[in-house]
Amino acid sequence: MTRRSAPLGVVNRGTTNPNRLRRVDRWLAGPQAWRLRRAADPLVVDLGYGASGVTALELRDRLSVVRRDVEVVGIEIDPARVAAAEPLAGPGLGFVRGGFELPVPGGRRPVLVRAFNVLRQYGEAEVAPAWAAMLARLAPDGLLVDGTCDELGRRAAWVALDAGGPVSLTLSVRLAGLELPSDVAERLPKALIHRNVPGERVHAFLAALDHAWARQAPRGTFGVRQRWIATVETVRGAGWPVLDHPSRWRLGEVTVGWDAVRPP
């Protein structure tokens, strides 16, 4: 009998809250919906869902609007968490034990992998190997999302990766009460959080957002949403490779090409 190797990774803190990952789910069901629509096998993985499987359930419900036959598999390295999530299992939703090797039953390859608040608890040098392990399991046209958010999901940031590696960085914030765009810096993914220092690209991008936010303060007369849209228009006009459009900016989002923020 072949002995199964241990899952890749370590147990994380497991913190989770209902609706915490709504921002990234909205992005997956929006600009990335084409990947799910085209997929021969509409399989999605929620890696490291934590102490409760509720975010995997929410992911299935949100993506089912895009593809009714979507199937979400929640993967956790802690067997107790898998057992705790089992009562939520049902049509289009299941739970298994595993790690970065993404042990989906039947050896199937997911078209989307959401790994949120997972790699933040690892060392920076461990990020690239974890990315490589997950990318090796993706389906054609698949996407991996490695991100972090606060406990209530009001501030989030994520790196999107395809088979070729990192593609973009997305920042998504609750605009009400926002003082500076760079307030999201504490939620940068592990690959970037230690790079938010002068001389690094991601620091320059956040500084550009802050500067534009200050310049566009008069737009606040028309609402914070208009101020944010004007802020993103300003940084795009300054040459930053903003990849999305006003329909996303209205939500408190901005997505920029990876080369603009990647570590040297």
Side-chain angles (χ1 to χ4, degrees):
M1 179 183 296
T2 301
R3 191 173 185 178
R4 182 179 175 183
S5 58
L8 298 178
V10 297
V11 177
N12 62 22
R13 288 190 292 271
T15 305
T16 189
N17 283 306
N19 215 29
R20 185 184 186 190
L21 303 186
R22 62 192 179 279
R23 293 185 176 277
V24 65
D25 290 355
R26 183 172 59 190
W27 187 76
L28 291 171
Q32 303 305 318
W34 66 271
R35 299 179 189 273
L36 196 57
R37 293 192 184 103
R38 287 187 186 178
D41 182 5
L43 176 66
V44 177
V45 162
D46 182 15
L47 179 67
Y49 54 82
S52 166
V54 66
T55 55
L57 174 64
E58 291 171 343
L59 181 62
R60 183 205 59 184
D61 291 347
R62 288 163 180 156
L63 294 184
S64 66
V65 176
V66 176
R67 181 98 180 234
R68 292 181 61 185
D69 59 343
V70 67
E71 182 177 349
V72 173
V73 175
I75 298 179
E76 251 296 342
I77 202 167
D78 183 350
R81 293 176 184 171
V82 177
E86 279 297 334
L88 296 176
L93 180 63
F95 300 91
V96 300
R97 182 177 182 237
F100 298 125
E101 77 283 4
L102 306 184
V104 178
R108 297 160 63 194
R109 293 180 175 270
V111 67
L112 297 173
V113 176
R114 184 186 71 182
F116 242 68
N117 303 305
V118 176
L119 282 168
R120 182 177 177 87
Q121 299 173 47
Y122 288 73
E124 186 176 355
E126 297 175 282
V127 171
W131 281 354
M134 291 184 282
L135 291 175
R137 297 293 305 138
L138 282 182
D141 286 333
L143 193 76
L144 162 65
V145 180
D146 167 21
T148 306
C149 67
D150 65 6
E151 287 73 13
L152 297 179
R154 293 178 176 179
R155 295 176 182 171
W158 58 86
V159 177
L161 306 93
D162 63 16
V167 174
S168 62
L169 169 71
T170 298
L171 308 178
S172 181
V173 297
R174 182 176 184 267
L175 294 174
L178 181 67
E179 294 187 10
L180 289 171
S182 63
D183 288 347
V184 76
E186 64 185 11
R187 299 300 167 181
L188 287 171
K190 176 59 73 171
L192 293 174
I193 193 165
H194 299 302
R195 302 289 181 163
N196 185 31
V197 293
E200 295 276 0
R201 295 182 179 94
V202 69
H203 182 272
F205 178 58
L206 292 173
L209 283 172
D210 282 353
H211 179 68
W213 180 252
R215 283 184 56 191
Q216 297 301 333
R219 291 289 187 97
T221 303
F222 305 102
V224 67
R225 182 175 293 170
Q226 292 304 313
R227 184 180 179 185
W228 178 262
I229 291 172
T231 295
V232 179
E233 287 176 338
T234 298
V235 297
R236 184 176 65 174
W240 290 95
V242 174
L243 303 181
D244 49 9
H245 305 285
S247 62
R248 305 307 303 179
W249 307 343
R250 292 175 56 83
L251 303 174
E253 282 182 17
V254 60
T255 297
V256 65
W258 178 252
D259 283 346
V261 295
R262 64 175 174 82

